[in-house]
Structure formats: C-alpha cells, structure tokens
Amino acid sequence: MTEVSHRAIRNLTSGKVHWMVIGGLLAIVAVIVILTSGKETPQIRAAIFMNALARGDAETLAKSSYSANKSEEEILAAWKQSVSDSEYYRFKYEVKGAALASQTEASVRLMVWRNYSPEGYDEPFQLKMKKVNGEWKVELESLSRAMYPFLPR
C-alpha cells in the first residue's frame, strides 16, 4: 500500500474526520430541515399553480387561486370550465424568482413559452400573489390572458 492509503486508513481508525465531510453532512441536514419546515414561499406556490395549469388540475388551481369577488365554489367551477376549454393548449414555463412587496403580497417572475411549438419562444410574465389565511395564492384578477388565453372569466 502507498503512504497516502496508509494515512487514510490510520485517520479512519483513529476517529479523525476531514472538516469537509462534517461541512457536507451539516449542509445536507440544513437542506433537509429547510425542505421539511413546511414554510411555503410565493415561488413554491407559483410553481404548484403553474404545474396544475399545465396538467389541467382544476382542484389545485382553485386551491391556489384567490379572488375577492368570487367564492371558492365559483372559482372551482370557473377553473373546471377553463381546463375543459383548454384541453389541447400546451405551454412550457420556468419560475425565475420572486419579490416580496410586503408580508402578504408578492410577485413571481416567470418565463412562459406559449402555445408550445418548435417555432415558439419564451416571454416574461408575472404572477401576483397574496397571502390568504396563511397561504400564498395567485390573484385571479391579475392573471394575463396573453400568458394563458383560457383563464376563468
């Protein structure tokens, strides 16, 4: 065996651990704690919303939307109709970032490739978010029809 491998074996048997191993383990623990903390950010909710929009999941869209003028049942019915109308519409998106305007308001930047096709291109859009009963939701009235033409009326 070489001198390096003898030294490595000696370090392992003597209880010595390199500082990078400890740092790596602490980083992994920190990531796990952050991911399981349950604290939802506007960016996470926007990604959930856009994923539901791409899949046509009316229930998740309704849970992720807010309207001061409509009840939850009206929002769900509107999303069901919207999802039905947009059955063949395809798009691609990427969440780029979020900016908090206050503790209860934020905007999330997106790049959306509308009517997904090889000739298409991505365009910038924003989702306005509002914290309602401790949960971030997309403000329904602020959604752009340019981003998604089949939005609820």
Side-chain angles (χ1 to χ4, degrees):
M1 293 186 135
T2 66
E3 177 62 30
V4 174
S5 62
H6 283 296
R7 193 177 321 138
I9 292 171
R10 211 171 345 156
N11 284 344
L12 288 174
T13 59
S14 67
K16 294 181 183 177
V17 180
H18 196 276
W19 66 270
M20 288 183 73
V21 172
I22 294 172
L25 290 173
L26 289 175
I28 290 170
V29 169
V31 167
I32 291 170
V33 168
I34 290 170
L35 291 176
T36 59
S37 68
K39 185 174 182 183
E40 189 175 272
T41 65
Q43 238 173 314
I44 291 172
R45 178 49 65 181
I48 291 169
F49 175 84
M50 291 301 291
N51 190 30
L53 192 59
R55 286 188 343 259
D57 181 355
E59 285 78 23
T60 301
L61 288 166
K63 289 177 189 172
S64 301
S65 303
Y66 167 76
S67 175
N69 305 326
K70 295 181 181 179
S71 69
E72 290 180 20
E73 293 80 21
E74 291 173 319
I75 292 173
L76 177 58
W79 275 119
K80 283 183 179 179
Q81 182 63 47
S82 178
V83 164
S84 174
D85 293 345
S86 66
E87 183 177 359
Y88 299 105
Y89 184 76
R90 300 291 172 251
F91 66 94
K92 179 175 98 168
Y93 71 93
E94 182 179 356
V95 177
K96 289 297 204 175
L100 288 175
S102 70
Q103 293 293 332
T104 58
E105 294 182 350
S107 66
V108 176
R109 295 181 319 279
L110 306 168
M111 293 302 284
V112 178
W113 194 316
R114 300 181 300 146
N115 205 16
Y116 188 64
S117 69
E119 300 85 32
Y121 53 92
D122 54 349
E123 300 175 65
F125 289 97
Q126 286 194 7
L127 294 179
K128 288 190 179 181
M129 311 290 289
K130 186 171 186 85
K131 203 171 215 180
V132 179
N133 298 328
E135 292 183 359
W136 287 103
K137 296 188 179 233
V138 175
E139 289 185 22
L140 199 52
E141 287 81 12
S142 70
L143 291 173
S144 170
R145 286 200 185 283
M147 179 185 82
Y148 190 78
F150 300 96
L151 292 172
R153 304 227 178 260

